[in-house]
Amino acid sequence: YPLDLLLTREYILVFLLHILQVGFIYRVIRLFIQRKQDRYSFDRYRDISFLRLIEAFLESAPQLLLQLYVVVVEEITDPTRKVVTALAVVISMISLSLAIADYTSAGKDIIYYDPPPNRVRKPRLSWNGYLLIILWQIGMIVSRSLAISLFASEYGYYIFIMA
């Protein structure tokens, strides 16, 4: 991007809104107001999905690992705390898998709108396909996060050497 394009009012506004932690909301509202089916709208949708993916990996993934570590290491006797911890683990897994599935769906929508040359336009991702991607991602997240949490509970500080 040329420097003059980056210094326009809109980019400065978006940058300031991201600093204030409301840039994501601004981007979503701007996409809903536009309501076009052109390449620019799909690019904006993909950008929003990518921001959501970054947010999920910076918030939900570490939280999920810490919660699973607490579940594995501590013996929780309070039934209310057990329910709250289990609910927090499930919500973190769902949040992470939804972000990954949304980003995958956005990539497929780009291919649907603007296919590569000499290729047939593929149909958009159905709700069943979206649900299967979510379930697949939940399975992958559960297995990987449990493996990391169990390894961390057994070997303690050696997890930092492996990471």
PDB file of all heavy atoms in Angstrom, residues 118-133:
ATOM      1  N   ASN A 118     -10.184 -20.518 -15.380  1.00  0.00           N
ATOM      2  CA  ASN A 118     -10.380 -21.870 -15.920  1.00  0.00           C
ATOM      3  C   ASN A 118     -10.878 -22.866 -14.875  1.00  0.00           C
ATOM      4  O   ASN A 118     -10.604 -24.046 -14.958  1.00  0.00           O
ATOM      5  CB  ASN A 118      -9.086 -22.399 -16.561  1.00  0.00           C
ATOM      6  CG  ASN A 118      -8.590 -21.502 -17.660  1.00  0.00           C
ATOM      7  OD1 ASN A 118      -9.389 -20.878 -18.363  1.00  0.00           O
ATOM      8  ND2 ASN A 118      -7.287 -21.423 -17.808  1.00  0.00           N
ATOM      9  N   ARG A 119     -11.575 -22.380 -13.880  1.00  0.00           N
ATOM     10  CA  ARG A 119     -12.155 -23.267 -12.875  1.00  0.00           C
ATOM     11  C   ARG A 119     -13.658 -23.033 -12.801  1.00  0.00           C
ATOM     12  O   ARG A 119     -14.133 -21.930 -13.028  1.00  0.00           O
ATOM     13  CB  ARG A 119     -11.560 -23.002 -11.491  1.00  0.00           C
ATOM     14  CG  ARG A 119     -10.096 -23.294 -11.382  1.00  0.00           C
ATOM     15  CD  ARG A 119      -9.884 -24.470 -10.462  1.00  0.00           C
ATOM     16  NE  ARG A 119      -8.473 -24.791 -10.411  1.00  0.00           N
ATOM     17  CZ  ARG A 119      -7.751 -24.735  -9.311  1.00  0.00           C
ATOM     18  NH1 ARG A 119      -8.302 -24.367  -8.190  1.00  0.00           N
ATOM     19  NH2 ARG A 119      -6.491 -25.066  -9.329  1.00  0.00           N
ATOM     20  N   VAL A 120     -14.363 -24.059 -12.419  1.00  0.00           N
ATOM     21  CA  VAL A 120     -15.813 -23.964 -12.264  1.00  0.00           C
ATOM     22  C   VAL A 120     -16.113 -23.371 -10.894  1.00  0.00           C
ATOM     23  O   VAL A 120     -15.442 -23.683  -9.910  1.00  0.00           O
ATOM     24  CB  VAL A 120     -16.451 -25.373 -12.388  1.00  0.00           C
ATOM     25  CG1 VAL A 120     -17.951 -25.310 -12.185  1.00  0.00           C
ATOM     26  CG2 VAL A 120     -16.103 -25.985 -13.722  1.00  0.00           C
ATOM     27  N   ARG A 121     -17.111 -22.500 -10.845  1.00  0.00           N
ATOM     28  CA  ARG A 121     -17.509 -21.902  -9.565  1.00  0.00           C
ATOM     29  C   ARG A 121     -18.108 -22.985  -8.671  1.00  0.00           C
ATOM     30  O   ARG A 121     -19.055 -23.658  -9.036  1.00  0.00           O
ATOM     31  CB  ARG A 121     -18.534 -20.810  -9.801  1.00  0.00           C
ATOM     32  CG  ARG A 121     -18.992 -20.154  -8.516  1.00  0.00           C
ATOM     33  CD  ARG A 121     -19.975 -19.088  -8.779  1.00  0.00           C
ATOM     34  NE  ARG A 121     -19.236 -17.933  -9.271  1.00  0.00           N
ATOM     35  CZ  ARG A 121     -19.771 -16.739  -9.424  1.00  0.00           C
ATOM     36  NH1 ARG A 121     -21.027 -16.549  -9.141  1.00  0.00           N
ATOM     37  NH2 ARG A 121     -19.057 -15.741  -9.861  1.00  0.00           N
ATOM     38  N   LYS A 122     -17.540 -23.144  -7.487  1.00  0.00           N
ATOM     39  CA  LYS A 122     -18.015 -24.151  -6.546  1.00  0.00           C
ATOM     40  C   LYS A 122     -19.167 -23.576  -5.733  1.00  0.00           C
ATOM     41  O   LYS A 122     -19.236 -22.382  -5.500  1.00  0.00           O
ATOM     42  CB  LYS A 122     -16.888 -24.577  -5.613  1.00  0.00           C
ATOM     43  CG  LYS A 122     -15.774 -25.287  -6.328  1.00  0.00           C
ATOM     44  CD  LYS A 122     -14.722 -25.732  -5.352  1.00  0.00           C
ATOM     45  CE  LYS A 122     -13.624 -26.453  -6.091  1.00  0.00           C
ATOM     46  NZ  LYS A 122     -12.576 -26.931  -5.210  1.00  0.00           N
ATOM     47  N   PRO A 123     -20.070 -24.449  -5.265  1.00  0.00           N
ATOM     48  CA  PRO A 123     -21.176 -23.935  -4.451  1.00  0.00           C
ATOM     49  C   PRO A 123     -20.677 -23.441  -3.101  1.00  0.00           C
ATOM     50  O   PRO A 123     -19.625 -23.856  -2.616  1.00  0.00           O
ATOM     51  CB  PRO A 123     -22.086 -25.156  -4.288  1.00  0.00           C
ATOM     52  CG  PRO A 123     -21.226 -26.328  -4.550  1.00  0.00           C
ATOM     53  CD  PRO A 123     -20.158 -25.875  -5.495  1.00  0.00           C
ATOM     54  N   ARG A 124     -21.454 -22.534  -2.519  1.00  0.00           N
ATOM     55  CA  ARG A 124     -21.084 -21.998  -1.204  1.00  0.00           C
ATOM     56  C   ARG A 124     -21.213 -23.093  -0.154  1.00  0.00           C
ATOM     57  O   ARG A 124     -21.891 -24.083  -0.331  1.00  0.00           O
ATOM     58  CB  ARG A 124     -21.989 -20.827  -0.849  1.00  0.00           C
ATOM     59  CG  ARG A 124     -21.740 -19.649  -1.764  1.00  0.00           C
ATOM     60  CD  ARG A 124     -22.533 -18.477  -1.357  1.00  0.00           C
ATOM     61  NE  ARG A 124     -21.888 -17.890  -0.175  1.00  0.00           N
ATOM     62  CZ  ARG A 124     -22.299 -16.779   0.394  1.00  0.00           C
ATOM     63  NH1 ARG A 124     -23.325 -16.145  -0.069  1.00  0.00           N
ATOM     64  NH2 ARG A 124     -21.675 -16.305   1.438  1.00  0.00           N
ATOM     65  N   LEU A 125     -20.569 -22.873   0.966  1.00  0.00           N
ATOM     66  CA  LEU A 125     -20.576 -23.839   2.059  1.00  0.00           C
ATOM     67  C   LEU A 125     -21.966 -23.885   2.697  1.00  0.00           C
ATOM     68  O   LEU A 125     -22.519 -22.857   3.090  1.00  0.00           O
ATOM     69  CB  LEU A 125     -19.529 -23.437   3.095  1.00  0.00           C
ATOM     70  CG  LEU A 125     -19.215 -24.423   4.195  1.00  0.00           C
ATOM     71  CD1 LEU A 125     -18.626 -25.700   3.595  1.00  0.00           C
ATOM     72  CD2 LEU A 125     -18.239 -23.824   5.175  1.00  0.00           C
ATOM     73  N   SER A 126     -22.532 -25.079   2.791  1.00  0.00           N
ATOM     74  CA  SER A 126     -23.866 -25.228   3.381  1.00  0.00           C
ATOM     75  C   SER A 126     -23.767 -25.231   4.904  1.00  0.00           C
ATOM     76  O   SER A 126     -22.682 -25.317   5.481  1.00  0.00           O
ATOM     77  CB  SER A 126     -24.510 -26.530   2.899  1.00  0.00           C
ATOM     78  OG  SER A 126     -23.792 -27.634   3.417  1.00  0.00           O
ATOM     79  N   TRP A 127     -24.928 -25.161   5.558  1.00  0.00           N
ATOM     80  CA  TRP A 127     -24.938 -25.193   7.016  1.00  0.00           C
ATOM     81  C   TRP A 127     -24.455 -26.538   7.542  1.00  0.00           C
ATOM     82  O   TRP A 127     -23.828 -26.618   8.593  1.00  0.00           O
ATOM     83  CB  TRP A 127     -26.338 -24.884   7.553  1.00  0.00           C
ATOM     84  CG  TRP A 127     -26.658 -23.437   7.429  1.00  0.00           C
ATOM     85  CD1 TRP A 127     -27.461 -22.851   6.504  1.00  0.00           C
ATOM     86  CD2 TRP A 127     -26.135 -22.372   8.236  1.00  0.00           C
ATOM     87  NE1 TRP A 127     -27.481 -21.483   6.686  1.00  0.00           N
ATOM     88  CE2 TRP A 127     -26.674 -21.170   7.747  1.00  0.00           C
ATOM     89  CE3 TRP A 127     -25.267 -22.318   9.312  1.00  0.00           C
ATOM     90  CZ2 TRP A 127     -26.368 -19.950   8.309  1.00  0.00           C
ATOM     91  CZ3 TRP A 127     -24.965 -21.091   9.873  1.00  0.00           C
ATOM     92  CH2 TRP A 127     -25.517 -19.932   9.363  1.00  0.00           C
ATOM     93  N   ASN A 128     -24.771 -27.600   6.824  1.00  0.00           N
ATOM     94  CA  ASN A 128     -24.280 -28.916   7.235  1.00  0.00           C
ATOM     95  C   ASN A 128     -22.757 -28.977   7.152  1.00  0.00           C
ATOM     96  O   ASN A 128     -22.099 -29.536   8.028  1.00  0.00           O
ATOM     97  CB  ASN A 128     -24.893 -30.014   6.359  1.00  0.00           C
ATOM     98  CG  ASN A 128     -26.379 -30.146   6.579  1.00  0.00           C
ATOM     99  OD1 ASN A 128     -26.898 -29.791   7.628  1.00  0.00           O
ATOM    100  ND2 ASN A 128     -27.073 -30.664   5.577  1.00  0.00           N
ATOM    101  N   GLY A 129     -22.212 -28.420   6.094  1.00  0.00           N
ATOM    102  CA  GLY A 129     -20.762 -28.369   5.959  1.00  0.00           C
ATOM    103  C   GLY A 129     -20.123 -27.528   7.045  1.00  0.00           C
ATOM    104  O   GLY A 129     -19.075 -27.880   7.592  1.00  0.00           O
ATOM    105  N   TYR A 130     -20.766 -26.404   7.361  1.00  0.00           N
ATOM    106  CA  TYR A 130     -20.272 -25.525   8.428  1.00  0.00           C
ATOM    107  C   TYR A 130     -20.285 -26.259   9.767  1.00  0.00           C
ATOM    108  O   TYR A 130     -19.337 -26.185  10.544  1.00  0.00           O
ATOM    109  CB  TYR A 130     -21.141 -24.274   8.478  1.00  0.00           C
ATOM    110  CG  TYR A 130     -20.581 -23.149   9.300  1.00  0.00           C
ATOM    111  CD1 TYR A 130     -19.508 -22.390   8.852  1.00  0.00           C
ATOM    112  CD2 TYR A 130     -21.128 -22.826  10.526  1.00  0.00           C
ATOM    113  CE1 TYR A 130     -18.998 -21.351   9.604  1.00  0.00           C
ATOM    114  CE2 TYR A 130     -20.624 -21.788  11.293  1.00  0.00           C
ATOM    115  CZ  TYR A 130     -19.560 -21.055  10.817  1.00  0.00           C
ATOM    116  OH  TYR A 130     -19.051 -20.037  11.561  1.00  0.00           O
ATOM    117  N   LEU A 131     -21.357 -27.004  10.035  1.00  0.00           N
ATOM    118  CA  LEU A 131     -21.469 -27.763  11.274  1.00  0.00           C
ATOM    119  C   LEU A 131     -20.402 -28.853  11.345  1.00  0.00           C
ATOM    120  O   LEU A 131     -19.796 -29.082  12.400  1.00  0.00           O
ATOM    121  CB  LEU A 131     -22.866 -28.368  11.401  1.00  0.00           C
ATOM    122  CG  LEU A 131     -23.146 -29.156  12.663  1.00  0.00           C
ATOM    123  CD1 LEU A 131     -23.096 -28.241  13.883  1.00  0.00           C
ATOM    124  CD2 LEU A 131     -24.490 -29.841  12.575  1.00  0.00           C
ATOM    125  N   LEU A 132     -20.144 -29.517  10.219  1.00  0.00           N
ATOM    126  CA  LEU A 132     -19.098 -30.545  10.199  1.00  0.00           C
ATOM    127  C   LEU A 132     -17.712 -29.945  10.441  1.00  0.00           C
ATOM    128  O   LEU A 132     -16.879 -30.549  11.121  1.00  0.00           O
ATOM    129  CB  LEU A 132     -19.127 -31.305   8.876  1.00  0.00           C
ATOM    130  CG  LEU A 132     -20.275 -32.293   8.717  1.00  0.00           C
ATOM    131  CD1 LEU A 132     -20.280 -32.894   7.325  1.00  0.00           C
ATOM    132  CD2 LEU A 132     -20.190 -33.379   9.765  1.00  0.00           C
ATOM    133  N   ILE A 133     -17.457 -28.771   9.890  1.00  0.00           N
ATOM    134  CA  ILE A 133     -16.177 -28.102  10.149  1.00  0.00           C
ATOM    135  C   ILE A 133     -16.045 -27.763  11.629  1.00  0.00           C
ATOM    136  O   ILE A 133     -14.978 -27.948  12.230  1.00  0.00           O
ATOM    137  CB  ILE A 133     -16.035 -26.839   9.275  1.00  0.00           C
ATOM    138  CG1 ILE A 133     -15.828 -27.228   7.817  1.00  0.00           C
ATOM    139  CG2 ILE A 133     -14.873 -25.981   9.747  1.00  0.00           C
ATOM    140  CD1 ILE A 133     -15.814 -26.056   6.871  1.00  0.00           C
TER     141      ILE A 133
END
